[in-house]
Amino acid sequence: MADVIFLLPVAAGAAALVLQHWLSRRLNPQTPVGDEKEYLGARQTLWVRVPLQGWLMRAAARLTPQRRDLGGRWLTGLLSALSVAGATLWVASEAGPGPALVTALTLLLSVERAVLALHLWPDIAMGALLLAFTWCVQLPSPVAAAVVAALAFGLRIEGLALCVWAAAMPFFGTGMLTPAILSPAAFAPAMIGLGALAVCTVSGGLRTGIWRPDTTFAFNLRAASSSARNPDAPVGQVMLETMRETRQGAARPGLKTVPAILRDIPRRMRNVLGAESFLRHNVLGRNLATYGPAHARLFSGPVGAGLHWGFTATAFATAVVLPLQSAPVIAALLGGCLIYGGLFTRSRYRMALLPLMAVALGLGVDRLGDRPELALAGLAGALALSLLISRARPRREEG
């Protein structure tokens, strides 16, 4: 059994790499899109971004000087394969090979994951880090969780929430007012998080003269306000309007915009949990990455259906088995949905949740027979959530 527990994750990771290589040769994206250009070094003045993704992509670019984007595409594909292997290992070690196979197939059959793993956006890497963070919390290992959270914060601003979680672990994970609280080690996770904050702030200041770790959160808040005011505008139009307001130094959205932003949450949740839109409407649909001719086949047949509805089916099944999960897994998945649905969002952001969803599915399959009443409660919740977001009008992600 120990050999199977070890070999199955290795086989799943290897299969992910083989699939990634095959898809890379078929699609062969040539052109960086949007933020990908910034990660490769293009300058912009509208916001300050936490630096780790840019550091990683520019370091990888040195490996392929003839095509600077190629090294980053390889790195993202490798991180995606590690996510597949890590998720499979987690489930195999807790529930055995059968549930682990469910986890591996959930990830390997995700067309959306495979295509985004050819790109330079941080969503795939964020998925690997959220998976590792939740595992560290479940151990529990506050210092290890803090290190992973610091990397997540350096990668994208929502990682700050993980830093706060890790810093709180010594005080709330084993009970309040214990002798451990008085030891210096209890403050180590907080110090690691503050160190990441300092590094990102200094990096932003040296690069742009703005001594803040990140301003994209404020930009997305302004975009959420603009989105709520223009419910029929596609994402591209919302982005252009937000950029214009930012350049003109318009005042930040005040409290009076909060009700409109809150009312728009079901639409943003539909972007996060509903049918895939970022690739179909934008990158693939308009061939912005200059793919090979094979990209047209991603819109038809079983592959097209998988791209369109694969994540939604995974999210629904995860919601059904969510009550069967441990508290860290439940908190990480619900918190991720609230963060990505709470502000202006793109559907690709949800790839940060997919590896952990696959873990929840594998473990849920193993635990269904133990507490079927919890699965019924999860089914009721999944149906209620589906009804809520299905009534919201979808927003096209063109631009």
Side-chain angles (χ1 to χ4, degrees), residues 268-341:
R268 293 193 294 276
M269 289 298 294
R270 180 161 180 163
N271 261 21
V272 175
L273 300 174
E276 198 286 323
S277 53
F278 178 75
L279 292 174
R280 291 183 304 111
H281 296 170
N282 202 30
V283 183
L284 284 169
R286 299 166 64 195
N287 198 15
L288 297 180
T290 320
Y291 294 108
H295 86 280
R297 298 179 184 176
L298 294 176
F299 291 94
S300 59
V303 174
L307 175 63
H308 196 164
W309 294 110
F311 185 90
T312 302
T314 300
F316 185 90
T318 302
V320 172
V321 299
L322 192 62
L324 299 167
Q325 307 304 314
S326 64
V329 172
I330 294 173
L333 287 175
L334 290 182
C337 287
L338 289 174
I339 287 173
Y340 294 128

Coordinates of all heavy atoms in Angstrom, one line a residue, residues 268-341:
R268 N -20.6 38.4 -9.9 CA -19.2 38.0 -9.8 C -19.0 36.6 -9.3 O -18.1 35.9 -9.8 CB -18.5 39.0 -8.8 CG -18.4 40.4 -9.4 CD -17.4 41.3 -8.6 NE -17.9 41.5 -7.2 CZ -18.7 42.5 -6.8 NH1 -19.3 43.3 -7.7 NH2 -19.0 42.6 -5.6
M269 N -19.9 36.1 -8.5 CA -19.8 34.7 -8.1 C -20.1 33.8 -9.3 O -19.6 32.7 -9.4 CB -20.8 34.4 -7.0 CG -20.5 35.0 -5.6 SD -18.9 34.3 -5.0 CE -19.4 32.7 -4.7
R270 N -21.0 34.2 -10.2 CA -21.2 33.5 -11.4 C -20.0 33.4 -12.2 O -19.7 32.3 -12.9 CB -22.4 34.1 -12.2 CG -22.7 33.3 -13.5 CD -24.1 33.6 -14.0 NE -24.3 32.8 -15.2 CZ -25.5 32.6 -15.7 NH1 -26.6 33.1 -15.1 NH2 -25.7 31.9 -16.8
N271 N -19.2 34.5 -12.3 CA -17.9 34.4 -13.0 C -17.0 33.4 -12.3 O -16.2 32.7 -13.0 CB -17.2 35.8 -12.9 CG -17.4 36.6 -14.2 OD1 -18.4 36.3 -15.0 ND2 -16.6 37.6 -14.5
V272 N -17.0 33.3 -11.0 CA -16.1 32.5 -10.3 C -16.5 31.0 -10.4 O -15.7 30.1 -10.6 CB -16.0 32.9 -8.8 CG1 -15.1 31.9 -8.0 CG2 -15.4 34.3 -8.7
L273 N -17.8 30.7 -10.3 CA -18.3 29.3 -10.2 C -19.0 28.9 -11.4 O -19.3 27.7 -11.5 CB -19.2 29.2 -8.9 CG -18.5 29.5 -7.6 CD1 -19.6 29.5 -6.5 CD2 -17.4 28.5 -7.3
G274 N -19.4 29.8 -12.3 CA -20.2 29.4 -13.4 C -19.4 29.0 -14.6 O -18.3 28.6 -14.5
A275 N -20.0 29.0 -15.8 CA -19.4 28.6 -17.0 C -18.1 29.4 -17.3 O -18.0 30.6 -17.0 CB -20.3 28.8 -18.2
E276 N -17.1 28.8 -17.8 CA -15.8 29.4 -18.1 C -16.0 30.6 -19.1 O -16.8 30.4 -20.1 CB -14.8 28.4 -18.7 CG -13.4 28.8 -18.6 CD -13.0 29.9 -19.6 OE1 -13.5 29.9 -20.8 OE2 -12.2 30.8 -19.3
S277 N -15.4 31.7 -18.9 CA -15.6 32.8 -19.7 C -14.3 33.5 -20.2 O -14.2 34.1 -21.3 CB -16.6 33.9 -19.1 OG -16.1 34.2 -17.8
F278 N -13.3 33.5 -19.3 CA -12.1 34.3 -19.6 C -11.4 33.7 -20.9 O -11.0 34.5 -21.8 CB -11.1 34.2 -18.4 CG -9.8 34.9 -18.7 CD1 -9.7 36.3 -18.7 CD2 -8.7 34.2 -19.0 CE1 -8.5 36.9 -18.9 CE2 -7.5 34.8 -19.2 CZ -7.4 36.2 -19.2
L279 N -11.3 32.4 -21.0 CA -10.6 31.9 -22.2 C -11.6 31.9 -23.4 O -11.1 32.3 -24.5 CB -10.2 30.4 -21.9 CG -9.1 30.2 -20.9 CD1 -8.9 28.7 -20.6 CD2 -7.8 30.8 -21.4
R280 N -12.8 31.5 -23.2 CA -13.7 31.5 -24.4 C -14.0 32.8 -25.0 O -14.1 33.0 -26.2 CB -15.0 30.8 -24.0 CG -14.9 29.3 -23.7 CD -16.2 28.6 -23.4 NE -16.9 29.3 -22.3 CZ -18.0 30.0 -22.4 NH1 -18.6 30.1 -23.6 NH2 -18.6 30.5 -21.3
H281 N -14.3 33.8 -24.1 CA -14.6 35.2 -24.6 C -13.4 36.0 -25.0 O -13.5 36.9 -25.8 CB -15.4 35.9 -23.5 CG -16.7 35.3 -23.2 ND1 -17.4 35.8 -22.1 CD2 -17.4 34.4 -23.7 CE1 -18.5 35.1 -22.0 NE2 -18.5 34.2 -23.0
N282 N -12.2 35.6 -24.5 CA -11.1 36.6 -24.5 C -9.9 35.9 -25.2 O -9.6 36.1 -26.4 CB -10.8 37.0 -23.1 CG -10.0 38.3 -23.1 OD1 -10.2 39.2 -23.9 ND2 -9.2 38.5 -22.1
V283 N -9.2 35.1 -24.5 CA -7.8 34.7 -24.9 C -8.0 33.7 -26.1 O -7.3 33.9 -27.1 CB -7.1 34.0 -23.8 CG1 -5.7 33.6 -24.2 CG2 -6.9 35.0 -22.6
L284 N -8.8 32.6 -25.9 CA -9.0 31.7 -27.0 C -10.0 32.3 -28.1 O -9.7 32.1 -29.3 CB -9.6 30.4 -26.5 CG -8.6 29.5 -25.7 CD1 -9.4 28.4 -25.0 CD2 -7.6 28.9 -26.7
G285 N -11.1 32.9 -27.6 CA -12.1 33.3 -28.5 C -11.6 34.4 -29.5 O -11.9 34.4 -30.7
R286 N -10.6 35.2 -29.1 CA -10.1 36.3 -29.9 C -8.7 35.9 -30.4 O -8.0 36.7 -31.0 CB -10.1 37.6 -29.2 CG -11.5 38.0 -28.8 CD -11.5 39.2 -27.8 NE -10.9 40.4 -28.3 CZ -10.5 41.4 -27.6 NH1 -10.7 41.3 -26.3 NH2 -10.0 42.4 -28.2
N287 N -8.2 34.7 -30.0 CA -6.9 34.3 -30.3 C -5.8 35.3 -30.0 O -4.9 35.6 -30.8 CB -6.8 33.9 -31.8 CG -5.6 33.0 -32.1 OD1 -4.9 32.4 -31.1 ND2 -5.2 32.9 -33.3
L288 N -5.9 35.9 -28.8 CA -5.0 37.0 -28.4 C -3.6 36.4 -28.2 O -2.6 37.2 -28.3 CB -5.5 37.6 -27.1 CG -6.8 38.3 -27.2 CD1 -7.2 38.9 -25.8 CD2 -6.8 39.4 -28.3
A289 N -3.4 35.2 -27.9 CA -2.1 34.6 -27.6 C -1.4 34.1 -28.9 O -0.3 33.5 -28.8 CB -2.2 33.5 -26.6
T290 N -2.1 34.2 -30.0 CA -1.6 33.7 -31.3 C -1.3 32.2 -31.2 O -0.2 31.7 -31.4 CB -0.3 34.5 -31.8 OG1 -0.5 35.9 -31.5 CG2 -0.1 34.3 -33.3
Y291 N -2.4 31.5 -30.9 CA -2.3 30.0 -30.9 C -2.1 29.4 -32.2 O -2.4 30.1 -33.3 CB -3.5 29.4 -30.2 CG -3.8 29.8 -28.8 CD1 -4.7 30.7 -28.4 CD2 -3.0 29.2 -27.8 CE1 -5.0 31.0 -27.1 CE2 -3.2 29.5 -26.4 CZ -4.2 30.4 -26.1 OH -4.4 30.7 -24.8
G292 N -1.8 28.1 -32.3 CA -1.8 27.4 -33.5 C -3.2 27.1 -33.9 O -4.2 27.3 -33.1
P293 N -3.4 26.6 -35.1 CA -4.8 26.3 -35.6 C -5.6 25.3 -34.7 O -6.8 25.4 -34.7 CB -4.6 25.7 -37.0 CG -3.2 26.1 -37.4 CD -2.4 26.2 -36.1
A294 N -4.9 24.5 -33.9 CA -5.6 23.5 -33.1 C -6.5 24.1 -32.1 O -7.4 23.5 -31.5 CB -4.6 22.5 -32.5
H295 N -6.3 25.4 -31.8 CA -7.1 26.0 -30.7 C -8.6 26.1 -31.0 O -9.4 26.1 -30.0 CB -6.6 27.5 -30.4 CG -7.2 28.5 -31.2 ND1 -6.8 28.8 -32.5 CD2 -8.2 29.4 -31.0 CE1 -7.5 29.8 -33.0 NE2 -8.4 30.1 -32.1
A296 N -8.9 26.1 -32.2 CA -10.4 26.1 -32.6 C -11.1 24.8 -32.1 O -12.3 24.8 -31.9 CB -10.5 26.3 -34.1
R297 N -10.4 23.7 -32.0 CA -11.0 22.5 -31.5 C -11.4 22.5 -30.1 O -12.1 21.6 -29.6 CB -10.0 21.3 -31.8 CG -9.7 21.2 -33.3 CD -8.7 20.0 -33.5 NE -8.3 19.9 -34.9 CZ -7.4 19.1 -35.4 NH1 -6.8 18.2 -34.6 NH2 -7.1 19.1 -36.7
L298 N -10.9 23.5 -29.3 CA -11.3 23.5 -27.9 C -12.7 24.0 -27.7 O -13.1 24.1 -26.5 CB -10.3 24.5 -27.2 CG -8.8 24.0 -27.1 CD1 -8.0 25.0 -26.4 CD2 -8.8 22.7 -26.3
F299 N -13.4 24.4 -28.8 CA -14.7 24.9 -28.6 C -15.8 23.9 -28.9 O -17.0 24.2 -28.8 CB -14.9 26.2 -29.5 CG -14.1 27.4 -29.1 CD1 -12.9 27.6 -29.6 CD2 -14.6 28.2 -28.1 CE1 -12.1 28.7 -29.2 CE2 -13.8 29.3 -27.7 CZ -12.6 29.5 -28.3
S300 N -15.4 22.7 -29.4 CA -16.5 21.8 -29.8 C -16.3 20.4 -29.2 O -15.2 20.1 -28.6 CB -16.4 21.6 -31.3 OG -15.1 21.2 -31.8
G301 N -17.3 19.6 -29.2 CA -17.2 18.2 -28.7 C -17.0 18.1 -27.2 O -17.2 19.1 -26.5
P302 N -16.6 17.0 -26.8 CA -16.4 16.8 -25.3 C -15.3 17.8 -24.7 O -15.5 18.2 -23.6 CB -15.9 15.4 -25.2 CG -16.3 14.7 -26.5 CD -16.3 15.7 -27.5
V303 N -14.3 18.1 -25.5 CA -13.3 19.1 -25.0 C -14.0 20.4 -24.8 O -13.7 21.1 -23.7 CB -12.1 19.2 -26.0 CG1 -11.1 20.2 -25.5 CG2 -11.4 17.8 -26.0
G304 N -14.8 20.9 -25.7 CA -15.4 22.2 -25.6 C -16.4 22.2 -24.4 O -16.5 23.1 -23.6
A305 N -17.1 21.1 -24.2 CA -18.0 21.0 -23.1 C -17.2 21.0 -21.8 O -17.7 21.6 -20.8 CB -18.9 19.7 -23.2
G306 N -16.1 20.3 -21.7 CA -15.2 20.3 -20.6 C -14.7 21.7 -20.2 O -14.7 22.1 -19.1
L307 N -14.3 22.4 -21.2 CA -13.8 23.8 -21.0 C -15.0 24.7 -20.5 O -14.8 25.5 -19.6 CB -13.3 24.4 -22.3 CG -12.8 25.8 -22.3 CD1 -11.7 26.1 -21.3 CD2 -12.4 26.3 -23.7
H308 N -16.2 24.5 -21.1 CA -17.3 25.4 -20.8 C -17.8 25.1 -19.4 O -18.0 26.0 -18.6 CB -18.4 25.1 -21.8 CG -19.4 26.2 -21.8 ND1 -20.3 26.4 -22.9 CD2 -19.8 27.2 -20.9 CE1 -21.2 27.4 -22.6 NE2 -20.8 27.8 -21.4
W309 N -18.0 23.8 -19.0 CA -18.8 23.5 -17.8 C -18.0 22.7 -16.8 O -18.5 22.3 -15.7 CB -20.0 22.7 -18.2 CG -21.0 23.5 -18.9 CD1 -21.4 23.4 -20.2 CD2 -21.8 24.6 -18.4 NE1 -22.4 24.3 -20.5 CE2 -22.6 25.1 -19.4 CE3 -21.9 25.2 -17.1 CZ2 -23.5 26.2 -19.3 CZ3 -22.7 26.3 -17.0 CH2 -23.5 26.8 -18.1
G310 N -16.7 22.3 -17.1 CA -15.9 21.4 -16.3 C -15.8 21.9 -14.9 O -16.0 21.2 -13.9
F311 N -15.4 23.2 -14.7 CA -15.2 23.7 -13.4 C -16.5 23.8 -12.6 O -16.5 23.6 -11.4 CB -14.5 25.1 -13.4 CG -14.1 25.6 -12.1 CD1 -12.9 25.4 -11.5 CD2 -15.0 26.4 -11.3 CE1 -12.6 25.8 -10.2 CE2 -14.7 26.9 -10.1 CZ -13.5 26.6 -9.5
T312 N -17.5 24.2 -13.3 CA -18.8 24.3 -12.6 C -19.3 23.0 -12.1 O -19.8 22.9 -10.9 CB -19.9 24.8 -13.6 OG1 -19.5 26.1 -14.2 CG2 -21.2 25.0 -13.0
A313 N -19.1 21.9 -12.8 CA -19.5 20.6 -12.3 C -18.6 20.2 -11.1 O -19.1 19.7 -10.1 CB -19.3 19.5 -13.4
T314 N -17.3 20.5 -11.2 CA -16.4 20.3 -10.0 C -16.8 21.1 -8.8 O -16.8 20.5 -7.7 CB -15.0 20.6 -10.4 OG1 -14.6 19.8 -11.6 CG2 -14.0 20.4 -9.3
A315 N -17.2 22.3 -9.0 CA -17.6 23.2 -7.9 C -18.9 22.7 -7.3 O -19.0 22.7 -6.0 CB -17.8 24.6 -8.4
F316 N -19.8 22.2 -8.1 CA -21.1 21.7 -7.5 C -20.8 20.4 -6.7 O -21.3 20.3 -5.6 CB -22.1 21.4 -8.7 CG -23.4 21.0 -8.2 CD1 -24.4 21.9 -8.0 CD2 -23.7 19.6 -8.0 CE1 -25.7 21.5 -7.5 CE2 -25.0 19.2 -7.5 CZ -25.9 20.2 -7.3
A317 N -20.0 19.5 -7.3 CA -19.7 18.3 -6.5 C -18.9 18.6 -5.2 O -19.2 18.0 -4.2 CB -18.9 17.3 -7.4
T318 N -18.0 19.6 -5.3 CA -17.3 20.0 -4.1 C -18.2 20.5 -3.0 O -18.1 20.2 -1.8 CB -16.2 21.0 -4.4 OG1 -15.3 20.5 -5.4 CG2 -15.4 21.4 -3.2
A319 N -19.2 21.3 -3.4 CA -20.2 21.9 -2.5 C -21.0 20.8 -1.8 O -21.3 20.9 -0.6 CB -21.1 22.8 -3.2
V320 N -21.3 19.7 -2.5 CA -22.0 18.6 -1.9 C -21.2 17.9 -0.8 O -21.8 17.6 0.3 CB -22.4 17.5 -3.0 CG1 -23.0 16.3 -2.4 CG2 -23.4 18.2 -4.0
V321 N -19.9 17.7 -1.0 CA -19.1 17.0 0.0 C -18.4 18.0 0.9 O -17.7 17.5 1.8 CB -18.1 16.1 -0.7 CG1 -18.8 15.0 -1.6 CG2 -17.1 16.9 -1.5
L322 N -18.6 19.3 0.8 CA -17.9 20.2 1.6 C -18.1 20.0 3.1 O -17.2 20.1 3.9 CB -18.2 21.6 1.2 CG -17.4 22.8 1.8 CD1 -15.9 22.6 1.3 CD2 -17.9 24.1 1.4
P323 N -19.4 19.7 3.6 CA -19.6 19.5 5.0 C -18.8 18.3 5.6 O -18.7 18.2 6.8 CB -21.1 19.2 5.1 CG -21.7 19.9 3.9 CD -20.7 19.7 2.8
L324 N -18.3 17.4 4.7 CA -17.5 16.3 5.2 C -16.1 16.6 5.4 O -15.3 15.7 5.8 CB -17.7 15.1 4.2 CG -19.1 14.6 3.9 CD1 -19.1 13.7 2.7 CD2 -19.6 13.8 5.1
Q325 N -15.6 17.8 5.1 CA -14.2 18.2 5.1 C -13.8 18.7 6.5 O -14.6 19.1 7.3 CB -13.9 19.2 4.0 CG -14.4 18.8 2.6 CD -13.8 17.5 2.2 OE1 -12.6 17.2 2.3 NE2 -14.7 16.7 1.6
S326 N -12.5 18.8 6.6 CA -11.9 19.4 7.9 C -12.1 20.9 7.8 O -12.4 21.5 6.8 CB -10.4 19.1 7.9 OG -9.7 19.7 6.9
A327 N -12.0 21.5 9.0 CA -12.3 22.9 9.1 C -11.3 23.8 8.2 O -11.8 24.7 7.6 CB -12.2 23.4 10.6
P328 N -10.0 23.4 8.2 CA -9.1 24.2 7.3 C -9.5 24.2 5.8 O -9.5 25.2 5.1 CB -7.7 23.6 7.5 CG -7.8 23.0 8.9 CD -9.2 22.5 9.0
V329 N -9.9 23.0 5.3 CA -10.3 22.9 3.9 C -11.6 23.7 3.7 O -11.7 24.5 2.7 CB -10.5 21.4 3.5 CG1 -11.2 21.3 2.1 CG2 -9.2 20.7 3.6
I330 N -12.6 23.6 4.6 CA -13.8 24.4 4.4 C -13.5 25.9 4.4 O -14.0 26.6 3.6 CB -14.8 24.0 5.5 CG1 -15.3 22.6 5.4 CG2 -16.0 24.9 5.5 CD1 -16.1 22.1 6.5
A331 N -12.7 26.3 5.4 CA -12.4 27.7 5.5 C -11.7 28.3 4.3 O -11.9 29.4 3.8 CB -11.6 28.0 6.8
A332 N -10.7 27.5 3.8 CA -9.9 27.9 2.7 C -10.8 28.1 1.4 O -10.7 29.0 0.7 CB -8.7 27.0 2.4
L333 N -11.7 27.1 1.2 CA -12.5 27.1 0.0 C -13.6 28.2 0.1 O -13.8 29.0 -0.9 CB -13.1 25.8 -0.3 CG -12.2 24.7 -0.8 CD1 -12.9 23.3 -0.9 CD2 -11.6 25.0 -2.1
L334 N -14.2 28.3 1.2 CA -15.3 29.4 1.3 C -14.6 30.7 1.3 O -15.1 31.7 0.7 CB -16.0 29.1 2.6 CG -17.0 27.9 2.7 CD1 -17.7 27.9 4.0 CD2 -18.0 28.0 1.5
G335 N -13.5 30.9 2.0 CA -12.8 32.2 2.0 C -12.3 32.6 0.6 O -12.5 33.7 0.2
G336 N -11.8 31.6 -0.2 CA -11.4 31.9 -1.5 C -12.6 32.3 -2.4 O -12.4 33.3 -3.2
C337 N -13.7 31.6 -2.3 CA -14.9 32.0 -3.1 C -15.3 33.4 -2.7 O -15.7 34.2 -3.6 CB -16.0 31.0 -2.9 SG -15.8 29.4 -3.6
L338 N -15.3 33.8 -1.4 CA -15.7 35.1 -1.0 C -14.8 36.2 -1.5 O -15.2 37.3 -1.9 CB -15.9 35.1 0.5 CG -17.0 34.4 1.1 CD1 -17.0 34.4 2.6 CD2 -18.4 35.0 0.6
I339 N -13.5 35.9 -1.4 CA -12.5 36.9 -1.9 C -12.6 37.1 -3.4 O -12.7 38.3 -3.9 CB -11.1 36.4 -1.5 CG1 -10.8 36.6 0.0 CG2 -10.0 37.2 -2.3 CD1 -9.5 36.0 0.4
Y340 N -12.7 36.0 -4.2 CA -12.8 36.2 -5.6 C -14.1 36.7 -6.1 O -14.2 37.3 -7.2 CB -12.4 34.9 -6.3 CG -10.9 34.5 -6.1 CD1 -10.6 33.3 -5.6 CD2 -9.9 35.4 -6.3 CE1 -9.2 32.9 -5.4 CE2 -8.6 35.1 -6.1 CZ -8.2 33.9 -5.6 OH -6.9 33.6 -5.4
G341 N -15.2 36.4 -5.3 CA -16.5 36.9 -5.7 C -16.8 38.2 -5.1 O -17.8 38.9 -5.5

